[in-house]
Amino acid sequence: MSAEPAPPSDAEVRMARFAARELGRDVAPEFSEFSDSTGRRWLDVLTVRDVPRPGHVSVSTLSMHRWVNLVGSGADRHDERVELVTVLTGVDAADAAALLVASAFTAVAEAWPVQAGTVFPGVAGELFGTPAEHLLLTAPGLFPRLARYRLDEAVQVRWLQAVPIHEAERAFLDERGLEALEDRFAAAEIAVADPARPPVGLG
């Protein structure tokens, strides 16, 4: 486990360029490497500032797909490789990146199934101190072209968008499901990028 990970393959470099174009075509991206507690390079991250508008930051993981991600159950259980993307406002770019890194580390370390509807409890509240304390994974609505990407002959990668949500919204998700919660979000036209937004009325 102490060996340095393999450098990015040509296919992974092409994927990183694709993600950079999707997050911000006319903005210079920043690439960062994050290490685990032993100093081993663990995760690569792309950050684009002031996208999709000034004051926002868009962040994507780039190498989370290297880990197995088992989703589904029974005959439908399969390995679906994923990356995480988020758009946030009112948050420092380094903190936005740290949010995805912490979520990815939790998912990999604890072998969580990472899919639409997965919630990372408390992670946004711990990092930002904002009332939308949890992080919900959904389809990449702000980046539809990231829904599927063929890395190579054997691997397809799917991005999931990370959205801060309140405890009441998490409880509603548990009771009514992801589609019902997303319908409420759409009807309320919530600012999905704002972790300080008020909760949606769910009565």
Side-chain angles (χ1 to χ4, degrees):
M1 292 298 290
S2 61
E4 184 71 12
S9 65
D10 290 345
E12 288 173 322
V13 170
R14 288 193 296 271
M15 188 181 80
R17 290 172 178 161
F18 169 76
R21 287 194 303 271
E22 293 305 306
L23 265 63
R25 292 183 179 274
D26 300 317
V27 180
E30 303 169 24
F31 295 94
S32 305
E33 295 177 358
F34 287 81
S35 302
D36 63 16
S37 59
T38 69
R40 177 178 179 265
R41 195 183 91 241
W42 186 78
L43 191 67
D44 300 313
V45 172
L46 162 69
T47 300
V48 182
R49 300 171 190 262
D50 293 323
V51 169
R53 57 186 60 89
H56 288 65
V57 60
S58 296
V59 182
S60 174
T61 62
L62 293 174
S63 52
M64 189 173 172
H65 68 273
R66 292 186 173 192
W67 280 270
V68 172
N69 176 44
L70 295 176
V71 298
S73 59
D76 186 46
R77 190 164 173 80
H78 62 284
D79 178 13
E80 183 169 83
R81 301 302 172 98
V82 298
E83 300 288 353
L84 304 181
V85 63
T86 194
V87 178
L88 297 171
T89 185
V91 172
D92 181 79
D95 289 340
L99 180 70
L100 291 194
V101 172
S103 301
F105 185 82
T106 297
V108 172
E110 300 185 15
W112 284 15
V114 181
Q115 58 194 338
T118 294
V119 174
F120 295 103
V123 63
E126 290 174 8
L127 280 169
F128 307 146
T130 51
E133 59 188 303
H134 310 303
L135 200 65
L136 167 67
L137 300 185
T138 71
L142 294 178
F143 307 102
R145 281 172 52 84
L146 294 180
R148 294 283 179 183
Y149 179 86
R150 182 167 291 283
L151 179 66
D152 55 33
E153 289 293 328
V155 178
Q156 272 201 76
V157 179
R158 177 183 185 182
W159 270 260
L160 294 168
Q161 186 171 335
V163 177
I165 64 169
H166 291 262
E167 174 57 30
E169 295 161 353
R170 179 191 180 192
F172 183 89
L173 171 71
D174 289 342
E175 292 177 8
R176 302 283 296 277
L178 179 60
E179 184 175 353
L181 179 61
E182 290 180 328
D183 287 346
R184 293 296 182 94
F185 284 171
E189 297 182 341
I190 68 163
V192 295
D194 185 5
R197 67 171 174 82
V200 169
L202 298 169

